[in-house]
Amino acid sequence: MNELELLGPRAHGEACGQAVLKATAGDFQVDEVLDIPLSGTGEHLWLWVEKRGLNTEEAARRLARAAGVSQRNISYAGLKDRQALTRQWFSLHLPGKADPDLSAAEGETLAILKAVRHSRKLQRGAHSANGFTLRLTGLKADRAALELRLQHLREQGVPNYYGLQRFGWQGGNVADARAFAERGELPEQRNTRSRLLSAARSYLFNRALAARVAEGSWNRAQLGDLLAFTDSRSFFMAGESECSDPRLAILDLHPTGPLWGEGASPAAGAAHAQEQGIAEAEPALAAWLAKAGMAHERRILRLPIAGLTWHYPEPEIVQLQFVLPAGCFATAVVRELVDLLPAGQTDSPCEF
C-alpha cells in the first residue's frame, strides 16, 4: 500500500519542496508534556528519561532489569519513536522498597534525568501533549512558498491523519489485520492483537478523513457532525448554531471522525452517510473491530499546531518547533510542507 492509500490527499496543496527527516536521531526530538504535580512521596518512583535509538518498550525492559522488578511494574504514558531523541516519563512500582540503583540501565542510548516519588502510577495516555523540535535537512524548496505555507499551517492546522508508522512497512499491519478479519479471528498474542486492531482502526479513520479533505470539509462543521474540543474526548452534535460557533474559527473546536467499534456511527446527516459508506467499503475490518469489543470513539479531524515557530540554522536546514495533543503525529505537519527523502538522498529530481 502506498502513502496516498494509507493517508489521503494533502489539504494545503502540493509539497513546497523536498527534505530529509531523521538523518540523525537528534533531528527528531520529542518532549512529553505531563501536567501532573508529583508529591515527592509514595510507592511509585517516576523517572524522567532521555533516550535515543531506543523505543519505549525497550527502555522499559532495561529499567525493569536494572530495578530487579517485573516489566509489569513499569508504566509509561505513551510510545515514542525509536529513531528519535525523546524525553518521557516512566514509573516503577516499588512498594516498601528503597530507590534502586538504576545505573545499569543507563548508557549512550538512555539517561535518567530526574527521579521523583509519587503516590500513584503513571497511566497510559496521561500526558496532555508532546513538544517537538524537528530539523529538516537537505532542504530543497522555494523559501517564499515555504514561509507562506508555514504561516497557513499555524493559522489553519492540518488534517489529523495517523502517521505511516502506525501501519508498518508498506501497510503490512493493515494487510495482516485484514487477513485476520476475513477469517473472523483475533491474534492470540496481546501485543500483536493490540497492534493490528490499532492499525485497522487508524486506517478506517484515515479513509474517513481523506474523504473530508477531498471535499474540503475537514476543517469546518456540517449539520450532523459530532464536534469536540482539542483536549476533550467527549463530543456533541452540530446543529445550525454550532456550525457557526466562533470557537471553530480559533481552532479550539473541531469536527470529528469515527474510531470504529461496536454500534453504528452516532453522527447524522451527510457525516453519517459518509462514515457508513466507509464501513460498507471495508465490512470485514469494521465488523472485526466491533467483534473485538472496541467501543465507538471519536477523533478530531483537524489538528491545531500550538506554538509553531521556525528558523533556518543553515541554508538547507529548517528547524521547526511546535506542540501537538497526545496521540497526534508530527509527520502530519511535515507532510503538508515537503516530500520526505530517505536519509542520504538529497538530490532533487525537480527544480525549486
Side-chain angles (χ1 to χ4, degrees), residues 31-48:
D31 286 88
E32 209 166 61
V33 179
L34 193 69
D35 300 324
I36 298 175
L38 302 180
S39 63
T41 61
E43 58 185 34
H44 298 271
L45 179 65
W46 287 45
L47 305 173
W48 181 234

Side-chain angles (χ1 to χ4, degrees), residues 134 185 193 212 233 267 278 285 348:
L134 308 185
E185 300 174 355
R193 182 168 63 249
R212 295 287 292 258
R233 294 186 179 181
I278 298 294
L285 286 181
S348 170

Side-chain angles (χ1 to χ4, degrees), residues 127-129 160 227-236 247-248 250-256 298-306 323-328:
H127 59 310
S128 59
N160 193 20
L227 307 180
F229 292 100
T230 302
D231 298 319
S232 174
R233 294 186 179 181
S234 61
F235 52 84
F236 56 93
R247 291 171 293 187
L248 287 161
I250 62 172
L251 278 66
D252 188 29
L253 183 64
H254 317 274
T256 66
R298 307 296 293 184
R299 175 180 170 93
I300 57 175
L301 296 177
R302 178 176 59 181
L303 176 57
I305 310 167
V323 177
L324 299 180
C328 298

Side-chain angles (χ1 to χ4, degrees), residues 255-268:
T256 66
L259 295 175
W260 261 267
E262 295 179 302
S265 166

Side-chain angles (χ1 to χ4, degrees), residues 132 134 146-158 304-311 318-324 333-334 337:
F132 294 90
L134 308 185
L146 190 62
E147 288 285 320
L148 185 60
R149 179 67 57 82
L150 283 162
Q151 292 172 18
H152 284 168
L153 300 192
R154 182 161 57 189
E155 296 166 359
Q156 300 174 19
V158 299
I305 310 167
L308 175 61
T309 62
W310 61 90
H311 71 282
V318 60
Q319 181 165 308
L320 313 174
Q321 288 186 290
F322 53 88
V323 177
L324 299 180
V333 178
V334 175
L337 293 173

Side-chain angles (χ1 to χ4, degrees), residues 62-133:
R62 283 173 55 168
L63 292 169
R65 284 196 301 268
V69 300
S70 166
Q71 194 171 339
R72 293 192 300 271
N73 293 73
I74 308 290
S75 302
Y76 46 83
L79 298 171
K80 301 292 184 287
D81 288 356
R82 177 197 298 273
Q83 186 57 24
L85 173 61
T86 68
R87 287 169 284 269
Q88 70 177 114
W89 286 98
F90 292 81
S91 74
L92 283 68
H93 189 207
L94 301 168
K97 297 180 180 179
D99 290 1
D101 178 4
L102 297 173
S103 57
E106 297 188 278
E108 292 184 1
T109 58
L110 188 150
I112 298 171
L113 306 181
K114 187 187 300 184
V116 185
R117 286 277 181 163
H118 192 51
S119 57
R120 296 182 178 180
K121 79 171 188 177
L122 177 57
Q123 301 286 345
R124 291 297 291 269
H127 59 310
S128 59
N130 289 300
F132 294 90
T133 301

